[in-house]
């Protein structure tokens, strides 16, 4: 799996899918920022930097999770009905 293409690009290191009100994490790559942060498959992505992701498709959410390597984002997730 390649996380960098050309230029500067970074992501959290996960695969996501849409289909409900919120996008869900389906896979977390070991050693990536998502893994280090404790993101788990099945987590719902609720907010990025305080902005709700409700009703946003997975392609748009993916774009919000990308940026220059080392960029810090505040990601709100829901796991088993508990927001954190």
């Amino acid at each position: 799996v390649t996380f960098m293409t050309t230029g500067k690009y970074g992501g959290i290191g996960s695969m996501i899918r849409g289909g409900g009100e919120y996008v869900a994490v389906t896979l977390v790559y070991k050693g990536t920022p998502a893994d280090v942060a404790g993101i788990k498959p099945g987590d719902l992505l609720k907010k990025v930097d305080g902005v709700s992701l409700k009703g946003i498709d997975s392609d748009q959410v993916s774009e919000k999770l990308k940026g220059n390597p080392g960029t810090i984002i505040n990601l709100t997730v829901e796991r088993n009905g508990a927001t954190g």
Side-chain angles (χ1 to χ4, degrees), residues 39 44-50 53 74-78 83-84:
I39 304 294
L44 298 179
L45 303 181
K46 304 285 279 200
K47 296 180 183 177
V48 172
D49 292 332
L53 299 174
N74 183 357
L75 185 60
T76 304
V77 301
E78 181 178 305
T83 301

Side-chain angles (χ1 to χ4, degrees), residues 1-5 9 13-15 27-30 32:
V1 174
T2 302
F3 292 105
M4 298 186 77
T5 53
Y9 160 81
S14 68
M15 291 187 72
L27 178 69
V28 176
Y29 297 104
K30 188 154 183 71
T32 63

Side-chain angles (χ1 to χ4, degrees), residues 9 16 57-66:
Y9 160 81
I16 59 174
D57 70 38
S58 59
D59 288 339
Q60 291 174 309
V61 171
S62 180
E63 285 302 312
K64 292 180 181 297
L65 300 175
K66 295 176 184 173

